[in-house]
Amino acid sequence: MKRIIATALVALVIVASAFAAEIDLGQFPKGRWLDPNWDAVWEFGADGIRILDRDGSVVYDFEGKISGLKVDVGVGEVTLSFACADAERSYVFTKKTTDLGLSMKINPEWTEKDYAVDMELQR
């Protein structure tokens, strides 16, 4: 019985530390891109992903809320995808190597209609 409890505690510590780790965006570009439809600035930084308003105030922080984070590097583009149970959405961001823009596709869990937009890099 003691072994089962000890094993369960070790597994719990490993799982908790995995969730506490920072988001690793790998080779996905860091920066800020504007969604012109919502005046929302998507920020991809060394410490995570956030949505800001035009003044720089945090509207939503994905810290600790992301699952299934995946970065795919292709010949002409880099794709970042993840899900957020808290927001009830999954996200796909595509950055082509030929321009500074970023394409975003959001798939809300409650509807069949996706949201897609091309965003410009903010300076």
Side-chain angles (χ1 to χ4, degrees), residues 43-109:
E43 178 183 65
F44 297 87
D47 58 348
I49 302 169
R50 304 184 309 172
I51 303 172
L52 312 173
D53 65 16
R54 288 248 195 189
D55 297 328
S57 298
V58 177
V59 175
Y60 193 83
D61 192 339
F62 286 92
E63 184 178 355
K65 300 173 186 167
I66 288 179
S67 64
L69 180 71
K70 186 175 166 186
V71 178
D72 289 321
V73 179
V75 174
E77 64 186 28
V78 179
T79 302
L80 171 74
S81 60
F82 63 89
C84 178
D86 186 58
E88 298 179 340
R89 296 166 174 86
S90 58
Y91 302 85
V92 177
F93 298 89
T94 304
K95 172 71 181 80
K96 295 190 186 297
T97 57
T98 56
D99 63 47
L100 298 175
L102 181 67
S103 296
M104 175 176 65
K105 182 177 178 185
I106 301 175
N107 181 0
E109 294 176 5

Side-chain angles (χ1 to χ4, degrees), residues 3 5 14 21 25 31 42 48 50 59 61-62 68 74 86 90 111 118:
R3 278 191 183 160
I5 292 172
I14 291 170
L25 298 179
W42 284 81
R50 304 184 309 172
V59 175
D61 192 339
F62 286 92
D86 186 58
S90 58
T111 181
D118 291 326

Side-chain angles (χ1 to χ4, degrees), residues 2-23:
K2 289 181 182 179
R3 278 191 183 160
I4 294 172
I5 292 172
T7 304
L9 286 174
V10 169
L12 182 61
V13 168
I14 291 170
V15 169
S17 65
F19 281 108
E22 290 184 19
I23 298 169

